[in-house]
Amino acid sequence: MKTALSMPRTGKRLPIGARSLAVLLLLLTVVWFGSLEYRKLIKPDEGRYAEIAREMAVSGDWVTPRLNDLKYFEKPPLQYWVTAATMRVFGTSQWQARLWPALSGFGAILLLAVTLARIQGAGAGLYGAAALASSVLWVYMGHFSTLDMGLSATMSMSFCGLLLAAQAHEEGSRRNEHLAMLLAWAGMALAVLSKGLIGILLPGGAVLLYVLIWRDWGLLLRLRWLTGLALFALLCVPWFVLVAQRNPEFAQFFFIHEHIDRFLTPTHRRTGPVWYFVPVLLGGLLPWTGFLPRALLRALRGHHDQQDASAARFSLRFSVVWVVLICAFFSASSSKLPSYILPVFPALAVLIGHELTRCSARHLMVQSLGLAVFALAGTFALMAPNLLTGEQNPADLVARYRIWLVVCMASLCAGALLAAWLAARQRHAAAILCLAVCAGLAGNASLLGHNELAPSTSAAHLAGELKAVIDPAAPFFSVGMYEHALSYYLARPLTLVDYRDELDFGLTQEPDKGISTLDAFTTRWNTLPQAYAIMTPGLFETLKKRRLPMRLLIEDRRRIVVARH
């Protein structure tokens, strides 16, 4: 008979029935993909990557990415390709812009489940996948149009390929080992096409660091260098060759400015302390953060069953190396954003999944109760009247969004209490899946609620009003600012005035597509029979003092649109 200290064991058999598993998979699919269209694209990232893909789809130029009709070489094109192809087939809206992050994030969950089930057992596969699918940062980035989820998912191909190769080597299957290594090489190639050289630098560095720590020199000999490099080159090299041939300025900007300068200098103004990613990791891993210390100790000290084969030990040790190396790399970088450490989450899910198959019912109950206390405290904290408000987030919009967050926190608290009750009744699998389902639903609901801020964070409402009153053939100027999503929703580039920022490179290459000063804009404006311009309220007052002929069309908290007729 089990006691409160009993420790479930991993094995080939699932801890739940096939019908329950099918229901969970269906629920995950519906929740994961069902909300992609609901929220408006927010500034700047979602608008930027949606607009680059839209322009690619319209132009048919799949080699040279453009933003606002200007060359844009900050990142490689994999996400642009997938999104542009989706837009060519289905048109442009919110869900097309978010489809690739959602697909790649969902695919990584399934791949991790299969990998862990193959190596550590069905229980670890289920729990690891559940942990990944419900971790708050993975949920958020899987529904947000940036490049980080695509990078993380393709890097997880490399990560899982190496784990599967270790399992195949242990079983003596050279064919399966070869195929798994090719999966790893393909993942690195796609990761490079997702976000640059870190796609091969970080997986390669993790392999090298593992070999140096555990002196497993044979791993280097089993990487299938010949066929692996051939596959990598076949997938990755052609675009770099084509884009460099068509754009001689590409190589210096992409490899020097966007890699070396970004890492070594604060040129992108995204600095942070060395501990910057610690709260991101701890918060992003919720609701599983409390399981992480014991999971790490179990992996490092070898506190796992004697039945664990060498491939299972490799999966734990390599996961620790993967997490430490990536966190250390981005902590040392001069450019930091919270989403940069997203690639560590599949490896964290390996450790959490392994821990969940072995933790006692008492430990599971204590962690669930701790999460309930945290969620309850968060519920009361969110009721503070000025929390989350600011210049970009007006109080009336935040008040509506706060209702969503309070309901999410309260629901998470209730779910954690239910999980604790299930753990106390020795229903180990039910408690774990209850935590995952409640946390996943709460995370998605908080994303849906963010749409309450759309009038301030998105250009969708503004574009909707503009379409009814402007002539699409007339020039449209963006003065001293650039709203990425406005270009997307209006389906047209804007002429930039006295603004460069991330488009400095493109304007340097094609200066005739912008206007560098307000004086030059004034001259141009006065010669046009019809035109439109968007600007900040402060700049509007400045131009009024210059007696620029303008008729106010639309204004909101941050932007004013004027017309010349």
Side-chain angles (χ1 to χ4, degrees), residues 334-350:
S334 297
S335 180
K336 295 181 176 70
L337 284 177
S339 56
Y340 284 1
I341 60 162
L342 191 65
V344 308
F345 276 71
L348 290 172
V350 170

Side-chain angles (χ1 to χ4, degrees), residues 25 40 75 81 86 122 131 133 148 178 229 250 318 344 355 364 370 373 375 456 475:
L25 183 58
K40 306 303 182 184
K75 298 295 183 291
W81 287 343
T86 304
D148 297 291
H178 194 180
L229 284 171
F250 165 80
F318 189 68
V344 308
E355 169 63 21
L364 181 56
V373 171
S456 178

Side-chain angles (χ1 to χ4, degrees), residues 20-147:
S20 298
L21 180 63
V23 170
L24 285 173
L25 183 58
L26 177 62
L27 176 64
L28 174 62
T29 304
V30 171
V31 172
W32 192 267
F33 293 101
S35 62
L36 296 181
E37 176 63 19
Y38 179 76
R39 292 177 296 111
K40 306 303 182 184
L41 299 178
I42 68 173
K43 64 180 185 72
D45 290 348
E46 289 202 300
R48 175 193 302 119
Y49 297 122
E51 175 60 11
I52 294 172
R54 188 198 67 80
E55 293 185 30
M56 183 174 283
V58 170
S59 69
D61 183 354
W62 302 86
V63 175
T64 303
R66 289 180 175 271
L67 173 59
N68 200 49
D69 198 32
L70 296 165
K71 293 181 180 181
Y72 192 83
F73 292 141
E74 290 202 6
K75 298 295 183 291
L78 179 60
Q79 180 163 320
Y80 311 150
W81 287 343
V82 177
T83 309
T86 304
M87 291 176 177
R88 290 280 285 262
V89 176
F90 299 105
T92 56
S93 189
Q94 280 87 226
W95 73 265
Q96 294 92 333
R98 297 185 177 115
L99 184 62
W100 175 241
L103 274 176
S104 57
F106 189 83
I109 294 168
L110 299 183
L111 178 60
L112 184 77
V114 172
T115 301
L116 278 181
R118 183 82 177 84
I119 297 172
Q120 294 185 13
L126 176 63
Y127 297 152
L132 183 61
S134 57
S135 293
V136 63
L137 189 61
W138 195 265
V139 171
Y140 283 177
M141 300 314 298
H143 298 82
F144 189 74
S145 185
T146 69
L147 308 183

